[in-house]
């Protein structure tokens, strides 16, 4: 089940960065509800937060004669992040002055509370701020350290709110989201490849890239630096630890992957790479004439196999096999042929598995011949199972 976060936003110019915090939390699989102070709502609109979080935003304790239930909101949360926390909000939090929905929710929350202050240099250094911070820490709240740099006033120094990606990392660490891939570089190929016939037509398959994107997010959230080589897809991925290299053809994917393979600890070949491409690409649009028309095809490079040949003993590689018949036999054959450590088999015969679904049903085949079968799960859950298996190999 996803972890539930309440994000409290108070009235600082840094509130615009909280939109990014919301996006990063959602992309990392958290459920997010936002509570804003009236001052924050003057900097950034509640509509932006509700659009990104896909939840209503709380701004008023009493909204048109209706009392907003801060108790339910506080108890709902697995974690409460207050970012940005202004000097005023820090003072109110420290002293329990519940004159807005954010502070009332804070007083009702029983979960860990993380506070990311944002203010000007002199406000940050002021003894009252120092006093409020130490009071809040003494209550068990966790302070996310401020950054040093240019401030909205034009001054330079301490007081900037921590960057959204750093706040996400801090939350992941503190909430014990497994951080078992810290220090590892993971290379992932994903999506289809597209092989041009002429400037207008191409050969392509049904892959959407979703499985690879879920794997990239899972690895990123577990602390890895991820290089995602992504074929043409409509899906988007934005994660602070994932670098995306977009590619079109199998040849592009091959070149991008080979250039990064040497520096990767783990490689996951999830892409549905075209096995064949037109031998020649017509420079101009091919006109129709005869009743039949043939395109001569040639093999594309096998990226997984090439990497399997270059692989050192410190590198781990995972392949995928999508089969329509004799799946297990084919998967075992590919596992050895491509020198993989494990291969993930999914069959198009299983309902809900394969292309165009948010779900997948997999079996993981090991080199010793052992097989782990899994029920139908979301691709996000499948990604977790694959990475858990990968971790268990070491
Ligand atoms: O041989 P087949 O295409 O079924 O093998 C599947 C595995 O090999 C997948 O992990 C896929 O990403 C990878 N592959 C590749 N380059 C190719 C073909 C497949 O990396 N040209």
């Amino acid at each position: 089940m996803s972890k539930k976060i309440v994000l409290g936003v108070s009235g600082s110019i840094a509130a615009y960065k909280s939109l990014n915090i919301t996006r990063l939390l959602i992309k990392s699989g958290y459920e997010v509800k936002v509570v804003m102070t009236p001052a924050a709502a003057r900097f950034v609109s509640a509509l932006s937060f509700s659009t990104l979080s896909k939840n209503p935003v709380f701004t008023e304790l009493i909204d048109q004669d209706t009392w907003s239930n801060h108790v339910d909101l506080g108890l709902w949360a697995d974690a409460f992040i207050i970012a940005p926390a202004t000097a005023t909000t820090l003072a109110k939090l420290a002293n329990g002055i519940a004159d807005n929905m954010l502070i009332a929710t804070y007083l009702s929350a029983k979960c860990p509370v993380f506070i990311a202050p944002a203010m000007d240099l002199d406000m940050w250094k002021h003894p009252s701020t120092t006093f409020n911070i130490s009071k809040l820490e003494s209550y068990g709240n966790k302070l996310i350290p401020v950054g040093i740099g240019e401030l909205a006033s034009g001054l330079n120094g301490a007081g900037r709110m921590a960057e959204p990606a750093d706040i996400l990392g801090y939350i992941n660490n503190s909430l014990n989201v497994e951080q078992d891939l810290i220090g590892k570089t993971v290379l992932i190929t994903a999506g289809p490849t597209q092989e041009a016939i002429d400037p207008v037509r191409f050969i392509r398959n049904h892959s959407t890239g979703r499985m690879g994107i879920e794997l990239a997010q899972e690895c990123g959230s577990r602390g890895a630096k991820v290089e995602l080589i992504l074929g043409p897809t409509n899906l988007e991925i934005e994660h602070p630890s994932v670098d995306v290299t977009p590619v079109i053809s199998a040849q592009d994917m091959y070149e991008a992957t080979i250039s990064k393979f040497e520096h990767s600890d783990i490689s996951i070949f999830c892409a549905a790479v075209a096995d064949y491409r037109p031998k020649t690409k017509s420079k101009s649009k091919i006109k129709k004439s005869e009743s039949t028309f043939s395109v001569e095809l040639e093999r594309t490079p096998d990226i997984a196999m090439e990497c399997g040949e270059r692989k050192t003993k410190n590198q781990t590689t995972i392949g995928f096999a999508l089969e329509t018949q004799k799946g297990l036999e084919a998967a075992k054959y590919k596992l050895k042929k491509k020198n993989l450590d494990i291969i993930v088999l999914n069959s198009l015969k299983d309902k809900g598995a394969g292309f165009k679904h948010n779900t997948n049903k997999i079996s993981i085949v090991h080199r010793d011949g052992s097989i782990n079968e899994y029920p139908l799960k979301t691709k996000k859950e499948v990604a977790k199972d694959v990475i858990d298996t990968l971790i268990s190999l070491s």
Side-chain angles (χ1 to χ4, degrees), residues 71-322:
V71 180
D72 274 359
L73 184 61
L75 295 180
W76 173 85
D78 294 317
F80 189 4
I81 310 170
I82 303 171
T86 60
T88 308
T89 291
L90 289 179
K92 288 185 185 176
L93 291 167
N95 294 289
I97 302 171
D99 66 349
N100 66 43
M101 181 69 181
L102 190 157
I103 311 289
T105 306
Y106 162 75
L107 291 176
S108 305
K110 292 202 163 73
C111 58
V113 178
F114 302 88
I115 300 174
M119 65 200 74
D120 206 52
L121 175 70
D122 295 313
M123 296 171 86
W124 177 245
K125 281 198 300 201
H126 198 280
S128 66
T129 305
T130 311
F131 180 69
N132 287 331
I133 293 274
S134 62
K135 218 166 160 185
L136 285 166
E137 285 186 309
S138 75
Y139 302 156
N141 300 305
K142 296 182 181 66
L143 185 81
I144 303 180
V146 293
I148 298 170
E150 200 186 320
L151 299 160
S153 62
L155 294 175
N156 228 288
R160 281 167 68 95
M161 186 176 80
E163 289 305 318
D166 297 331
I167 293 179
L168 178 73
Y170 199 90
I171 299 300
N172 280 341
N173 272 329
S174 307
L175 294 183
N176 283 332
V177 173
E178 285 117 320
Q179 292 288 290
D180 38 18
L181 289 176
I182 281 184
K184 301 282 184 203
T185 300
V186 181
L187 175 63
I188 301 177
T189 68
T193 66
Q194 192 169 295
E195 311 301 328
I197 298 171
D198 68 13
V200 184
R201 289 87 166 206
F202 54 77
I203 301 173
R204 180 169 159 174
N205 58 58
H206 290 298
S207 168
T208 59
R210 184 176 300 282
M211 191 63 245
I213 286 175
E214 293 294 358
L215 282 161
Q217 284 184 169
E218 177 70 17
C219 292
S221 300
R222 289 165 81 150
K225 177 179 178 300
V226 183
E227 294 283 358
L228 177 64
I229 315 293
L230 185 60
T233 171
N234 295 329
L235 300 179
E236 284 182 16
I237 168 161
E238 212 152 328
H239 189 288
S241 309
V242 180
D243 257 359
V244 182
T245 304
V247 293
I248 304 284
S249 67
Q251 187 64 30
D252 299 340
M253 186 174 274
Y254 171 81
E255 284 164 22
T257 307
I258 294 296
S259 74
K260 295 183 191 295
F261 181 70
E262 191 189 336
H263 304 291
S264 69
D265 303 293
I266 298 154
S267 299
I268 309 178
F269 304 103
C270 188
V273 187
D275 291 322
Y276 291 92
R277 65 184 167 209
K279 198 162 180 190
T280 53
K281 178 190 158 190
S282 171
K283 284 201 170 62
S284 51
K285 185 182 170 193
I286 300 168
K287 298 260 181 255
K288 58 176 165 292
S289 53
E290 307 301 322
S291 58
T292 60
F293 168 70
S294 321
V295 180
E296 194 182 352
L297 301 177
E298 64 178 4
R299 287 294 302 266
T300 54
D302 191 316
I303 305 165
M305 197 146 82
E306 175 73 35
C307 293
E309 281 165 19
R310 296 171 181 229
K311 184 174 163 184
T312 64
K313 65 174 177 16
N314 299 324
Q315 289 178 301
T316 307
T317 55
I318 301 179
F320 272 71
L322 178 73

Side-chain angles (χ1 to χ4, degrees), residues 328-341:
L328 207 50
E329 249 171 72
K332 283 183 175 168
Y333 173 73
K334 288 174 188 174
L335 177 74
K336 295 271 160 68
K337 189 167 157 222
K338 303 192 187 203
N339 193 18
L340 302 162
D341 292 277

